[in-house]
Amino acid sequence: MVRKYTLPLCLGIFVILLTACSDTKKNENETAMNNPLLAEWTGPFGGVPAFDKMNIADLQEATEYAMEKHLEEINAIANNPEAPTFENTLLAMEKAGSLMNRVSVYNGIWSSNMSSPEFREVQNILSPKLAEYRSKISQNEALFQRIKTVYENSKTNPLPAEQQRVVDLMYQEFEMNGANLDAEGKKRYAEINKELSSLYNTFSNNVLHDEENYVTYLDENQLGGLSDSFIASAKAAAEERGQAGKYAITNTRSSMDPFLTYSTERDLREKVWRTYYSRGDNNDAYDNNEVVSQILKLRHERVQLLGYDNFADWRLQDRMAKNPDNAMQLMETVWEASLARVEEEVAEMQAIADAERAGIAIAPWHYRFYAEKLRRAKYDLDSDEVKQYVELNNLTDAIFYVAGELFNFNFTPITDGSVPVFHEDVKVWEVTDRTSGEHIGVFYLDPYARTGKRSGAWATQYRSYANYDGKRTVLGSNNSNFVKPAPGESVLVSWDDAETFFHEFGHALHFFSSNVTYPYLGGGVRDYTEFQSQLLERWLITDEVINRYLKHYKTGEVMPQELIAKIKKAATFNQGFATTEFLASALMDMKYHTTDPATINPKEFEKEMLAQLNMPEEIVMRHRTPHFSHVFSGEGYATAYYGYLWADVLTSDAAEAFAEAPGGFYDKELAAKLIKYLFSPRNAIDPSEAYRLFRGRDATIDALMRDRGFPVPVK
Ligand SMILES: [Zn+2]
């Protein structure tokens, strides 16, 4: 659903990380040529990244050189004396930038999987240069004129469908990024982007600082209610931090959430809650409130240069929602139902607290604890009991099984060391077609949490599919933050995390099933790209997966039918909380970007807006403003957080199609349509059109409301 923090790789040219440096000397060029981060990928499967040769000392040089080379290629295209055509302009752009593509992959690993103070130092140097480099492409006047000519010519002489879509989307992207501005406007536009890129780094580094540096240590007599596995990992986490004999509750969701759910130490629950929800908000050198103000002002100024009222209007024009009103309308409909549900949930929890004479009113730091009690009382469902049947290796086999049945993919472990990895915990598989044996790609899985790794779970691709110049196969990855077990121990996964595991694999399947000719069409549409991954979560609770893979980690016994029935019955449980904490963030995201930022003081604004929305005092935003990384550590999810809900409307609607199909969730005919229209084309077909081809009609909100146990609106 909405608990994920994903970063599917976008292939838009402005998304490529990194920039230009003009003072490179000749002998530096020669060194750069030998830089391992720039080297052509060698080894099997059309070459794989040399993750075993990564050295942070090479990053700055490699990046600067790659930016320079890419800009030379772009200039050659822009200044081509021949009349502009699809081939000599747009296709040529697709072919350019291979050095940047390679170095960006390594940069992404350092940024997300293996961050360090050394990396952050280089990143701070490179960010403004990268922003400048991107501006040099997006604002290259001669280049844009060529794209415009091809675009205008195609109005009278349409190109083949895929080429036409590349032209339409690229023209729009350039226009949205300031290509039509005059010289002065372009200059300011580029300056703004440069400033923003530094602010995004500051924002995310501040959050990471507060995640790494605020740790709550417990003594042995403070472990009441916690599971053995949680205690073991807290003990290991304390040892890792030089506090042997203590137990560390780290400041991440994967530590905070189970602690608040199970700990019987009321005061400590409040402390851990406050610590977590104060990330970036501690009135110190790492406070993000002023950073947010500056980001909002710069974003606003930038879209005003382009003639838009606000950032949201500008941003949503190429999304499925098209405009902020459509997104707000959906959110407000669900919000009302969600608030009504919270009231019921709180009343039920308060009754439990009163019955045990706890002497409390339900506060945010009590919510998870009493929700768990309510879950046990009302549904007799014990999350810890569920976990015993959800073991990580079995879950991994389960996703491969689903991929085999639906997508006809086969996953074979690669254990001969021919595919280098950046950490010993990372595992790799070759993906092939089950029938023909044809090579499809390589799947990397980085399952465990470590210092310097971003929290949450996400999917990315190191190389995307393309076919304009021979078949280029996919290198895709999933990344999670499970606590690494002691040798010989099992990783037991909560039901939520199991759904997330399926979710991220849905992104991977979306990568692997791509059949676009041009890489440009492999990019995701933000409010659509969570749909494929959310849909895949639905296969976790199919009988086929349960009977084969959800087995007790000790006895091997299949999850009992009564337990499954309880899980299904409890599916709508706590939806008030889940929907409200998510929607509060999504609504705030939209409010921030539809309001004049001159009037915004984030601390005040958050409070005022939430009060206007009647935000229940027992719940906080899932991501409060000063650590809302989706929105402020970059632009990927700015005015796009609603996209999870937008995509979930499609998810519920599509899942009903499977539930109603003769073969259920493994119906071959419907699976074939799913792949043909909703997975393989990526952005080669307009998403609304693609969905209609799959379903025979547009999606409606009804299935989503049913799934969450909310009343279906009367038309
Ligand atoms: Zn996702």
Side-chain angles (χ1 to χ4, degrees), residues 6 503 507 530 533:
T6 45
H503 175 104
H507 284 304
E530 293 301 331
S533 50

Side-chain angles (χ1 to χ4, degrees), residues 462-475:
Y462 308 137
R463 186 173 61 211
S464 65
Y465 182 85
N467 201 13
Y468 63 86
D469 193 15
K471 192 172 90 168
R472 198 174 80 181
T473 61
V474 177
L475 306 175

Side-chain angles (χ1 to χ4, degrees), residues 4-8 503-504 507 529-530 533-534 637 644:
K4 300 87 204 180
Y5 182 19
T6 45
L7 194 72
H503 175 104
E504 299 309 335
H507 284 304
T529 201
E530 293 301 331
S533 50
Q534 287 179 170
Y637 279 87
Y644 288 97

